[in-house]
Amino acid sequence: DAKTTQPNSMESNEEEPVHLPCNHSTISGTDYIHWYRQLPSQGPEYVIHGLTSNVNNRMASLAIAEDRKSSTLILHRATLRDAAVYYCIRRPNNAGNMLTFGGGTRLMVKP
Amino acid sequence: ETGVTQSPTHLIKTRGQQVTLRCSSQSGHNTVSWYQQALGQGPQFIFQYYREEENGRGNFPPRFSGLQFPNYSSELNVNALELDDSALYLCASSLGRSGSSYNEQFFGPGTRLTVL
């Protein structure tokens, strides 16, 4: 039970921002939110993670709702290379390195 | 720095056979996790090895077993193959102690297993 809900697919235009939503309404206080993405024919790769505050890194930004029941992964300027399946993962603090993947969101980027 | 590598890339077996998949961790990583990814689905956690011992297992039967070697490379063994075992098998390495705060996982490209 992944305990996160994401849209099956989304479409974006190249060089435009993309907002990928994730619902995790049953999240507990110590659960982290992680995002991984899987490019075609590759293994998943880490994108970003956070607990309560919004987070930024070179790949993306993560906006976490104040009640922590939802979050949004933001790609500031989508490129064709960003076409992938994006997984939002709720990770309990005591889960070690185990990741529970759901179905993810398939992002398609149009030129 | 060498990334995570897996071998073979593709494999075809028949029902009832046994298979061994191999994974070389990223340099310096002491923890290896294995995942099964059926077509169109997200990866499912099989188990994790830390310093040669299994520590953490998902909802997979005992015919899925593994090993981690002193150089932290790893094997996944599956006995009595079933048709439903057809999937992409992913290996991920990381640096960290089991049960501790999270360490980013680095995935290999996977081994595509087909069971006929």
Side-chain angles (χ1 to χ4, degrees), chain A residues 13-96:
Chain A
N13 294 316
E14 197 176 10
E15 299 189 6
E16 289 186 357
V18 181
H19 291 233
L20 297 165
C22 180
N23 183 290
H24 29 81
S25 57
T26 60
I27 196 168
S28 70
T30 56
D31 292 353
Y32 282 77
I33 299 300
H34 289 255
W35 285 79
Y36 275 72
R37 72 179 186 181
Q38 189 169 18
L39 302 172
S41 302
Q42 294 188 28
E45 65 174 348
Y46 169 82
V47 177
I48 202 167
H49 78 281
L51 183 62
T52 56
S53 304
N54 294 344
V55 184
N56 300 294
N57 66 20
R58 64 176 178 80
M59 288 181 71
S61 296
L62 177 60
I64 301 175
E66 198 170 327
D67 63 6
R68 302 212 324 123
K69 293 180 185 281
S70 65
S71 61
T72 302
L73 179 71
I74 303 166
L75 307 179
H76 295 286
R77 286 186 68 193
T79 69
L80 297 178
R81 194 195 172 275
D82 291 321
V85 178
Y86 287 78
Y87 295 100
C88 169
I89 300 166
R90 199 190 94 182
R91 190 191 71 87
N93 195 36
N94 63 354

Side-chain angles (χ1 to χ4, degrees), chain B residues 1-62:
Chain B
E1 184 178 88
T2 306
V4 178
T5 60
Q6 294 186 242
S7 63
T9 54
H10 296 85
L11 198 54
I12 299 174
K13 291 284 190 178
T14 56
R15 199 168 42 180
Q17 285 188 310
Q18 178 265 344
V19 69
T20 297
L21 310 181
R22 295 178 175 82
C23 171
S24 291
S25 304
Q26 184 159 314
S27 177
H29 285 183
N30 57 13
T31 303
V32 172
S33 302
W34 285 91
Y35 291 79
Q36 180 194 68
Q37 185 174 24
L39 200 60
Q41 299 182 22
Q44 301 299 305
F45 176 76
I46 302 175
F47 46 54
Q48 174 181 292
Y49 278 81
Y50 169 67
R51 292 188 174 179
E52 302 178 57
E53 292 196 2
E54 181 181 305
N55 98 334
R57 188 178 184 94
N59 188 26
F60 281 82

Side-chain angles (χ1 to χ4, degrees), chain B residues 4 16 19 27-28 31 34 41 65 71 75 77 81 84-85 96 100:
Chain B
V4 178
V19 69
S27 177
T31 303
W34 285 91
Q41 299 182 22
S65 63
N71 67 354
E75 285 182 356
N77 299 290
L81 283 167
D84 284 349
D85 295 333
S100 67

